[in-house]
């Protein structure tokens, strides 16, 4: 074996310490008292998990606070400010900012990522040209997917469809949409499904991003998912409109998503920042964050993700999936230990299932994409915002940090 992680705790078996042996980039053995003439790291009873999975982030427009305003803090301003900033993007500029953000994510233990990337006549394919090289440049630490989508509309924005097709021809892995910015939302959804079928790609849409449940497109996405026989291959993000549904209607929606096989990603930081501003309330401000753990109870797969980092959609962020899990647990008042564990699952195995990562998991034979957390359980890791001490990609150590130490007098 190439590496042995000694005295590790595994999720589901935290009561007993074990060793994890790694060979050829894969998990070769999980058993007590492994021995081999190889490097060993004694974890001292700390938690080992498959690496964090980020399903919804925007590398291309991250780190642009120095060139935009964020005064009203609403979606309209964010889209407008980002559109103006995009006009000045170059492939080199995008590459530099995306690299900065990607490295933050790696340092936080993320080993798989899906970045959403915009194309339109204003920015052309410059963002794609900046991000695409990162797939190979950072393959040593992270598997990176690109989901191309039209942030500023598709059918109402001539030239965007051709750019979407060219981006798919150049190797994007997933096709996305933002129907709420289009003059014909249902027409955009139809076109996205057509492109997905033509290129045999999964779908990941921004959907139903608004303050009330009026005019939701979720049912139409479920309908098209069934008609295209795309269950298990469609994800939707935000769906903040569902946060205002009464519980009976929420449960009907949950059953519909589960039956259609449509997964949902909640973006706690962005959804909390942008929602609740439309009436300028100074009290009882709407949270606008969908209670994903309640959807899980109905069989819907859900993930938590960062979305935007340091831009007008979210003017903060450190790419920590643990922070997203903790923030979500606070916003949605998660108290039950089983639901707290699901908060951890929503940044690990659940997004892995959403992205259909067949080689993911802490099992013999799987790729050794792992993180070590300074905790003894996933529940406490979420509750305490536990730091990542090590990360491994295909068995190679990519991140390490020392635990904090008290220097007593």
């Amino acid at each position: 074996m190439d590496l042995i992680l000694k005295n590790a705790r595994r999720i589901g078996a935290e009561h007993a310490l074990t060793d994890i042996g790694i060979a050829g980039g894969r998990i070769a053995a999980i058993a007590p008292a492994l021995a081999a003439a190889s490097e060993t790291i004694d974890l001292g009873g700390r938690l080992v998990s498959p690496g964090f999975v980020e399903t919804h982030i925007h590398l291309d427009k991250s780190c642009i606070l120095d060139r935009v305003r964020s005064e009203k803090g609403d979606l309209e301003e964010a889209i407008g400010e980002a559109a103006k900033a995009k006009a000045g993007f170059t492939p080199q500029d995008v590459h530099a900012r995306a690299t900065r953000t990607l490295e933050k994510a790696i340092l936080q233990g993320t080993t798989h990522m899906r970045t959403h990337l915009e194309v339109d006549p204003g920015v052309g394919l410059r963002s794609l040209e900046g991000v695409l090289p990162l797939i190979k440049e950072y393959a040593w630490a992270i598997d990176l997917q690109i989901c191309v989508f039209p942030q500023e509309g598709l059918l109402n924005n001539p030239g965007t469809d051709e750019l979407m097709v060219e981006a798919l021809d150049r190797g994007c892995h997933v096709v996305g949409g933002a129907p709420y910015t289009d003059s014909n939302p249902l027409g955009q959804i139809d076109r996205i499904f057509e492109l997905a079928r033509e290129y045999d790609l999964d779908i990941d849409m921004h959907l139903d991003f608004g303050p009330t449940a009026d005019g939701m497109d979720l049912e139409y996405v479920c309908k098209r998912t069934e008609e295209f026989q795309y269950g298990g291959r469609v994800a939707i993000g935000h769906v903040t409109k569902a946060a205002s549904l009464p519980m009976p209607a929420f449960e009907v929606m949950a059953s519909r998503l589960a039956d259609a096989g449509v997964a949902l990603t909640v973006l706690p930081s962005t959804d909390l920042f942008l929602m609740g501003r439309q009436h300028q309330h100074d009290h009882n401000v709407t949270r606008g964050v969908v209670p994903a753990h309640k959807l899980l109870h109905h069989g819907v797969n859900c993930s938590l993700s960062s979305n935007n980092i340091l831009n007008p959609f979210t003017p903060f962020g450190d790419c920590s999936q643990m922070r997203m899990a903790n923030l979500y647990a606070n916003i949605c008042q998660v108290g039950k230990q089983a639901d707290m564990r699901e908060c951890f699952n929503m940044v690990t195995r659940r997004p892995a299932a959403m992205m259909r990562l067949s080689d993911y998991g802490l099992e013999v034979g799987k790729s050794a994409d792992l993180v070590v957390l300074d905790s003894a359980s996933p529940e406490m890791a979420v509750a305490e915002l536990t730091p990542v001490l090590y990360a491994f990609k295909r068995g190679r150590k990519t991140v390490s940090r020392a635990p904090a130490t008290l220097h007593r007098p």
Side-chain angles (χ1 to χ4, degrees), residues 84 101 236 285 400:
K84 288 188 287 185
T101 304
I236 53 178
V285 176
S400 64

Side-chain angles (χ1 to χ4, degrees), residues 1-4 22-25 38-40:
M1 281 182 274
D2 305 317
L3 172 67
I4 297 177
I22 297 169
S38 57
E39 179 185 3
T40 64

Side-chain angles (χ1 to χ4, degrees), residues 368-390:
D369 299 336
L370 306 172
V371 291
V372 177
L373 299 160
D374 197 6
S375 183
S377 73
E379 295 89 347
M380 291 308 296
V382 172
E384 296 182 310
L385 261 178
T386 300
V388 170
L389 299 184
Y390 296 99

Side-chain angles (χ1 to χ4, degrees), residues 160-409:
T160 303
D161 193 289
E162 291 81 357
L163 290 166
M164 289 280 289
V165 169
E166 186 173 351
L168 294 175
D169 285 337
R170 291 178 64 170
C172 291
H173 311 88
V174 185
V175 60
Y180 50 83
T181 65
D182 208 300
S183 57
N184 182 359
L186 301 189
Q188 183 183 126
I189 293 169
D190 287 340
R191 179 58 178 151
I192 297 307
F193 271 90
E194 291 169 0
L195 287 169
R197 180 167 58 187
E198 180 181 350
Y199 286 87
D200 190 22
L201 298 176
D202 290 359
I203 293 171
D204 197 337
M205 289 188 185
H206 299 61
L207 198 74
D208 290 337
F209 199 24
T212 71
D214 299 332
M216 291 182 67
D217 295 323
L218 182 146
E219 168 58 34
Y220 191 72
V221 169
C222 290
K223 175 185 174 185
R224 297 306 273 163
T225 300
E226 291 174 334
E227 291 173 349
F228 277 71
Q229 298 183 349
Y230 243 59
R233 300 189 65 179
V234 177
I236 53 178
H238 295 295
V239 196
T240 57
K241 289 186 174 185
S244 64
L245 287 173
M247 190 48 61
F250 182 88
E251 291 175 345
V252 169
M253 179 197 76
S255 296
R256 188 72 182 97
L257 288 170
D259 290 344
V262 174
L264 188 146
T265 298
V266 172
L267 298 315
S269 187
T270 298
D271 295 346
L272 186 64
F273 179 75
L274 290 177
M275 290 298 103
R277 297 176 180 270
Q278 68 283 0
H279 301 304
Q280 298 300 312
H281 290 319
D282 60 2
H283 64 284
N284 285 342
V285 176
T286 302
R287 295 176 184 224
V289 178
V290 176
H293 65 289
K294 296 182 180 179
L295 291 175
L296 299 180
H297 299 163
H298 292 269
V300 183
N301 190 27
C302 296
S303 71
L304 305 172
S305 276
S306 301
N307 195 38
N308 284 286
I309 304 293
L310 303 176
N311 71 20
F313 293 86
T314 320
F316 25 72
D318 61 359
C319 301
S320 168
Q321 285 292 78
M322 287 304 301
R323 191 177 305 283
M324 287 303 103
N326 177 278
L327 177 61
Y328 171 84
N330 276 275
I331 298 167
C332 291
Q333 301 171 322
V334 175
K336 294 180 181 178
Q337 289 299 291
D339 288 337
M340 192 71 79
R341 179 165 292 217
E342 286 292 6
C343 291
F344 190 89
N345 291 339
M346 285 192 284
V347 296
T348 52
R349 67 174 183 83
R350 288 190 172 279
M354 183 180 294
M355 290 174 61
R356 302 197 295 145
L357 304 178
S358 59
D359 198 23
Y360 179 93
L362 185 46
E363 304 170 23
V364 173
K366 299 289 189 182
S367 181
D369 299 336
L370 306 172
V371 291
V372 177
L373 299 160
D374 197 6
S375 183
S377 73
E379 295 89 347
M380 291 308 296
V382 172
E384 296 182 310
L385 261 178
T386 300
V388 170
L389 299 184
Y390 296 99
F392 302 87
K393 186 64 179 176
R394 288 179 285 276
R396 179 185 175 276
K397 183 166 58 180
T398 55
V399 174
S400 64
R401 57 171 59 85
T405 303
L406 288 174
H407 297 278
R408 299 182 186 280

